[in-house]
Amino acid sequence: MPPELFSPTVQHTLDLVGIFVFAISGALLAVRKNFDVFGMAVLAEVTALGGGLFRDVVIGAVPPAAFTDLGYFLTPLFATLVVFFLHPHVERIQRAVYVFDAAGLGLFCVSGTTKAYAYGLNLTASATLGLATAVGGGVLRDVLANEVPSLLRWDRDLYAVPAIVGATMVALCIDQDVLSPLTSGLAALTAFVLRLLAMRYHWRAPRAWNRRSTVREE
């Protein structure tokens, strides 16, 4: 079984921080879509917990942590209240929210990969679930908000690629039997920095070679 990245207490705290920030992004999208407070809460919960819930169901870690830890469920609701009353101020610190979102991306792609491997999945499947843990909530959020998921849009800065890199680094470390808190932290940091660089320099994935399309670009 791979080692824990942090102590259980620290890991739980970081999970809650990541959940809170992801929930903020979900609630903000709900505000932009003119949803009511219930819609805000739904998008916050889905964004924050969707990826981890999917991972836990796939690996058989049931009931999922989202349903056994009250803090996991209540944190998105608290984020919803923050956005409900303070959304103009939250919008003004959107850049800071993106930074924390990137940190959550790095942490969750690593913790998702290690947890999947600990439950007996092979390295490829573990890395895939690490990616799903990091980006799954955002995909569900966009689908519920009737938008093309950011994960699939060419005109959005790289999001999945940093998570793929982080999860792959963890899988390689497991394969070489060098996974440790240090190497796990390095993988999380790599995903975090790549996401920040993608936002700073607007890195995007390439589209089809010699693409010929009559579809208008939005």
Side-chain angles (χ1 to χ4, degrees), residues 2-7 110 114 178-189:
E4 292 287 343
L5 177 55
F6 300 107
S7 69
V110 170
T114 55
V178 294
L179 187 68
S180 66
L182 177 62
T183 55
S184 297
L186 180 61
L189 180 63

Side-chain angles (χ1 to χ4, degrees), residues 35-185:
F35 289 3
D36 62 16
V37 66
F38 180 76
M40 292 172 61
V42 168
L43 282 196
E45 293 279 359
V46 165
T47 306
L49 304 177
L53 182 62
F54 174 78
R55 176 204 60 212
D56 287 351
V57 170
V58 170
I59 65 179
V62 292
F67 293 104
T68 58
D69 189 315
L70 189 60
Y72 282 25
F73 179 77
L74 293 180
T75 299
L77 297 182
F78 176 67
T80 300
L81 289 177
V82 170
V83 173
F84 183 82
F85 290 107
L86 302 175
H87 67 86
H89 305 286
V90 175
E91 289 278 10
R92 282 198 287 271
I93 61 168
Q94 186 69 61
R95 185 177 298 274
V97 172
Y98 284 150
V99 171
F100 284 107
D101 180 83
L105 182 81
L107 174 65
F108 285 177
C109 73
V110 170
S111 63
T113 303
T114 55
K115 185 171 184 178
Y117 186 77
Y119 273 78
L121 271 66
N122 62 41
L123 294 176
T124 300
S126 297
T128 301
L129 278 185
L131 169 64
T133 303
V135 306
V139 171
L140 292 174
R141 173 201 64 206
D142 292 343
V143 170
L144 288 177
N146 197 30
E147 291 199 347
V148 177
S150 299
L151 189 70
L152 305 178
R153 294 187 59 166
W154 72 270
D155 58 342
R156 298 296 174 88
D157 302 331
L158 293 179
Y159 193 78
V161 171
I164 292 172
V165 172
T168 301
M169 288 178 64
V170 173
L172 292 174
C173 287
I174 294 173
D175 183 56
Q176 298 300 313
D177 198 27
V178 294
L179 187 68
S180 66
L182 177 62
T183 55
S184 297

Side-chain angles (χ1 to χ4, degrees), residues 8-26:
T9 300
V10 174
Q11 182 70 52
H12 186 259
T13 301
L14 291 174
D15 282 348
L16 292 180
V17 171
I19 286 171
F20 178 78
V21 175
F22 285 151
I24 288 285
S25 70

